[in-house]
């Protein structure tokens, strides 16, 4: 069973590697693209945020050192659709795919300590409120309009420059600069042009570039503070079990906070309901509700990228029915999540739970890898 598990991991990884390689080819085609917006938004998202709602696809191993291991894989509907139609990754189509980018499905394998298969997990997450995602449209549209206006102006002036100059080599060199900018969706500063061409450009050409960069940075800062609210559902399927013998529903709210030292702070509020049936009866034997409130802190970062995150949180759990012997209805836990970014898209989250009343400490070691829709250069 352990060999089967590793083979499954390898197949999923290679599948997504092929998909990402194909998508990278797409972005090498000439187009006015604002993919820099999406790259920046991906970089500024916390590891905690990505674990709730993945950008594209995510593979994870949960409770690696425990007795109830699981391999989980989730992907947005958008990522699945792009396998059929890669043009969805361009600006215009991307911004129209609001629902598919905010709805992800999840599947998983549950294993015991000996890596033997114990069950199959499935479910979904739906972002009921994702202001950070909706904000993508505004800077993308601003970028596109600025590029279009700038490039139309340059093409117009390039034709005048061709009539004015007799130097074909200089004209071809300048044309290549403009063509490259068109291909990459870039804004060309004034200092890249010869004096003869500069005389044809308006005086405020550079001022517009500086002003846009300032507005773009301010918009990105605002996006960091926007909220995320997700509704999730999970169910397990085991041998000889009935449909929905075991299931859970959760509501997760994340909200960015401003800080004086420019640290990344994120309110994390979660509520979860779980129900577990017995195999022999149709009556649900155990029901429990838990509420968790914490603050995710980026304690080490590089630019907009979090490298180490720490999330202290308190959890209240209420056993509604199906108490185990010597178990209390109400439980209070002091928890802490520590996330380490090992590679650009590889995180190692360590979850610690401390039972305040019974003085018990539990630890869970996880690994998560996020696949990208847009490759960073």
């Amino acid at each position: 069973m352990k060999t089967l598990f590793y083979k499954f991991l390898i197949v999923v990884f290679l599948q997504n590697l092929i998909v990402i390689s194909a998508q990278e080819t797409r972005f090498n085609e000439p187009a006015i693209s604002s993919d820099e917006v999406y790259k920046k938004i991906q970089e500024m998202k916390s590891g905690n945020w990505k674990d709730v709602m993945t950008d594209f696809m995510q593979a994870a191993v949960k409770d690696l050192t425990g007795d109830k291991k699981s391999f989980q894989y989730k992907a947005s509907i958008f990522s699945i659709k792009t396998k059929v139609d890669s043009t969805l990754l361009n600006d215009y189509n991307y911004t129209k795919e609001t629902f598919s980018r905010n709805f992800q499905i999840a599947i998983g394998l549950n294993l015991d300590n000996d890596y033997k298969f114990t069950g199959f997990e499935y479910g979904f997450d739906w972002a009921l409120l994702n202001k950070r995602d909706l904000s993508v449209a505004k800077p993308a549209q601003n970028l596109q309009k600025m590029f279009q206006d700038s490039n139309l102006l340059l093409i117009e002036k390039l034709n005048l420059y061709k009539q004015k100059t007799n130097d074909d080599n200089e004209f071809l060199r300048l044309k290549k600069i403009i063509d490259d900018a068109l291909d990459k969706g870039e804004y060309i500063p004034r200092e890249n042009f010869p004096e003869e061409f500069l005389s044809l450009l308006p005086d405020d050409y550079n001022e517009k570039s500086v002003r846009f960069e300032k507005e773009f940075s301010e918009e990105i800062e605002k996006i960091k503070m926007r909220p995320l609210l997700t509704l999730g559902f999970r169910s397990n399927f085991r041998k000889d079990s009935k449909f929905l013998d075991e299931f859970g529903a959760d509501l997760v709210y994340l909200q960015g906070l401003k800080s004086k030292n420019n640290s990344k702070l994120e309110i994390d509020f979660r509520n979860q309901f779980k129900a577990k049936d017995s195999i022999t009866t149709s009556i649900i034997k155990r029901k429990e509700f838990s509420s968790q409130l914490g603050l995710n802190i980026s304690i080490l970062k590089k630019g907009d990228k979090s490298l180490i995150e720490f999330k202290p949180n308190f959890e209240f759990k209420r056993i509604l029915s199906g108490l185990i012997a010597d178990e209390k209805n109400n439980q209070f836990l002091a928890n802490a999540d520590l996330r380490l970014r090992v590679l650009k898209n590889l995180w190692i989250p360590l979850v610690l739970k401390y039972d305040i009343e019974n003085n018990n400490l539990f630890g869970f070691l996880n690994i998560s890898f996020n696949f990208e829709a847009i490759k960073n250069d």
Side-chain angles (χ1 to χ4, degrees):
M1 191 64 211
K2 186 184 293 188
T3 303
L4 179 61
F5 172 68
Y6 288 132
K7 287 181 178 179
F8 186 57
L9 272 173
I10 293 171
V11 169
V12 171
F13 177 78
L14 290 176
Q15 177 191 13
N16 285 280
L17 190 63
I18 293 170
V19 172
I20 292 170
S21 299
Q23 291 163 354
E24 183 177 12
T25 303
R26 169 69 188 168
F27 277 99
N28 287 331
E29 297 178 14
I32 297 177
S33 173
S34 57
D35 61 322
E36 193 65 31
V37 179
Y38 313 128
K39 291 179 184 178
K40 284 185 176 292
I41 290 175
Q42 287 176 4
E43 288 175 1
M44 73 187 180
K45 283 185 178 180
S46 63
N48 184 58
W49 187 290
K50 288 176 180 285
D51 280 348
V52 174
M53 201 73 189
T54 180
D55 291 321
F56 198 63
M57 298 179 182
Q58 185 189 79
V61 181
K62 300 295 181 71
D63 197 9
L64 188 61
T65 57
D67 296 331
K68 297 181 179 180
K69 303 174 177 61
S70 66
F71 171 74
Q72 299 177 4
Y73 181 74
K74 57 187 179 183
S76 65
I77 297 295
F78 177 74
S79 68
I80 298 173
K81 291 175 70 174
T82 56
K83 293 182 178 181
V84 180
D85 184 7
S86 61
T87 62
L88 293 175
L89 288 167
N90 68 45
D91 296 337
Y92 178 73
N93 292 327
Y94 184 93
T95 53
K96 292 197 302 180
E97 293 290 325
T98 303
F99 175 78
S100 66
R101 284 185 287 110
N102 287 283
F103 192 96
Q104 65 185 16
I105 58 174
I107 57 173
L109 297 177
N110 297 326
L111 311 170
D112 62 16
N113 197 39
D114 297 322
Y115 291 91
K116 292 181 179 179
F117 176 75
T118 60
F120 175 74
E121 181 179 296
Y122 59 93
F124 68 86
D125 295 289
W126 180 22
L128 302 174
L129 176 67
N130 192 351
K131 290 295 186 179
R132 181 175 294 191
D133 180 78
L134 293 175
S135 302
V136 170
K138 183 178 178 180
Q141 291 169 359
N142 287 348
L143 266 178
Q144 193 170 39
K145 185 178 186 307
M146 190 198 75
F147 291 152
Q148 288 174 343
D149 293 346
S150 170
N151 292 327
L152 287 173
L153 172 66
L154 293 177
I155 291 171
E156 176 189 344
K157 300 303 180 183
L158 184 62
N159 291 328
L160 292 176
Y161 181 71
K162 183 178 181 180
Q163 299 172 10
K164 184 177 180 180
T165 183
N166 295 321
D167 191 340
D168 291 338
N169 291 331
E170 183 62 20
F171 169 77
L172 292 174
R173 186 189 73 82
L174 185 57
K175 185 176 184 301
K176 185 178 185 308
I177 292 175
I178 297 175
D179 288 342
D180 289 344
L182 283 168
D183 290 347
K184 298 176 183 178
E186 294 178 344
Y187 193 98
I188 310 174
R190 288 178 61 92
E191 54 266 23
N192 289 32
F193 298 122
E195 290 295 331
E196 293 82 359
F197 189 76
L198 282 176
S199 63
L200 302 175
L201 297 179
D203 295 335
D204 63 348
Y205 182 83
N206 248 20
E207 293 176 8
K208 289 181 179 179
S209 176
V210 173
R211 185 169 63 252
F212 176 82
E213 288 295 329
K214 182 176 181 296
E215 292 175 358
F216 175 66
S217 297
E218 290 174 352
E219 185 66 24
I220 291 294
E221 287 299 318
K222 291 178 183 177
I223 292 174
K224 292 180 183 180
M225 304 297 113
R226 303 280 165 81
L228 171 70
L229 177 65
T230 66
L231 173 67
F233 174 83
R234 295 289 188 276
S235 182
N236 288 319
F237 183 80
R238 304 175 188 275
K239 185 179 180 181
D240 299 326
S241 66
K242 301 182 293 296
F243 181 62
L244 295 182
D245 269 350
E246 184 177 347
F247 67 90
D250 59 75
L251 195 68
V252 180
Y253 179 78
L254 301 181
Q255 171 76 60
L257 292 177
K258 291 184 179 180
S259 62
K260 293 182 179 179
N261 58 356
N262 202 28
S263 296
K264 284 186 178 181
L265 302 177
E266 196 170 64
I267 294 175
D268 187 308
F269 182 51
R270 307 184 184 214
N271 294 279
Q272 186 178 59
F273 173 80
K274 288 184 179 180
K276 188 174 182 180
D277 200 351
S278 64
I279 296 177
T280 56
T281 68
S282 60
I283 302 173
I284 294 178
K285 295 296 184 180
R286 183 177 176 87
K287 298 177 184 177
E288 63 181 61
F289 170 80
S290 63
S291 186
Q292 194 173 345
L293 179 63
L295 181 65
N296 192 65
I297 308 167
S298 178
I299 58 178
L300 181 62
K301 64 179 184 175
K302 182 179 180 182
D304 282 327
K305 296 180 181 179
S306 292
L307 301 179
I308 300 178
E309 296 176 8
F310 179 67
K311 184 178 71 176
N313 59 90
F314 291 95
E315 180 180 359
F316 167 74
K317 183 182 291 186
R318 170 74 176 179
I319 309 301
L320 303 174
S321 63
L323 276 175
I324 303 173
D326 299 326
E327 187 180 27
K328 296 181 179 180
N329 286 90
N330 298 329
Q331 299 176 17
F332 295 90
L333 303 172
N335 308 329
D337 296 8
L338 182 66
R339 282 182 174 79
L340 307 177
R341 188 196 289 261
V342 180
L343 299 173
K344 182 174 66 174
N345 293 314
L346 181 64
W347 289 84
I348 299 183
L350 173 64
V351 181
L352 298 175
K353 291 180 176 287
Y354 178 70
D355 187 339
I356 298 175
E357 294 185 1
N358 299 315
N359 297 322
N360 291 327
L361 181 66
F362 310 92
F364 307 91
L365 181 63
N366 307 323
I367 297 176
S368 62
F369 184 86
N370 296 282
F371 297 93
E372 294 180 342
I374 301 172
K375 295 288 290 181
N376 291 315
D377 295 328

